Amino acid sequence: MHVPELAPELLKHRFQIINLWRPISHSALDYPLALCDYRSIDFDKDLVPTTLKFPERDGETFSVKYNPAHQWKYLRA
């Protein structure tokens, strides 16, 4: 969790963390943004819980396994 001290209050409600991306100083021609359509993910097989190690605590995220069924969107900014 990004803000562990807020966890008790946040768990009383629905919430979502959304990452936004955009190039800051120039067009992203070398490293464009690609997004996987969540509807093409098999949540039971494709997502692997992964520990994030911080100096003061451990967190968790998901890594995504390759699946040829994934549908990708490409954004050339």
Side-chain angles (χ1 to χ4, degrees), residues 5-76:
E5 63 274 9
L6 297 179
E9 182 59 31
L10 292 174
L11 290 173
K12 295 177 187 175
H13 311 281
R14 292 178 60 131
F15 72 96
Q16 181 175 16
I17 296 172
I18 300 173
N19 289 319
L20 298 176
W21 177 95
R22 70 180 179 95
I24 295 173
S25 62
H26 61 282
S27 295
L29 302 178
D30 293 337
Y31 300 99
L33 179 65
L35 299 173
C36 184
D37 186 331
Y38 78 93
R39 296 169 293 188
S40 69
I41 295 173
D42 181 329
F43 291 94
D44 294 325
K45 295 179 183 175
D46 296 343
L47 300 181
V48 180
T50 305
T51 301
L52 294 173
K53 301 293 270 181
F54 297 100
E56 70 284 354
R57 64 183 171 83
D58 287 351
E60 187 175 74
T61 189
F62 286 103
S63 293
V64 182
K65 289 183 181 179
Y66 170 77
N67 181 334
H70 290 163
Q71 297 292 309
W72 290 90
K73 311 297 183 212
Y74 169 86
L75 175 65
R76 181 176 172 169

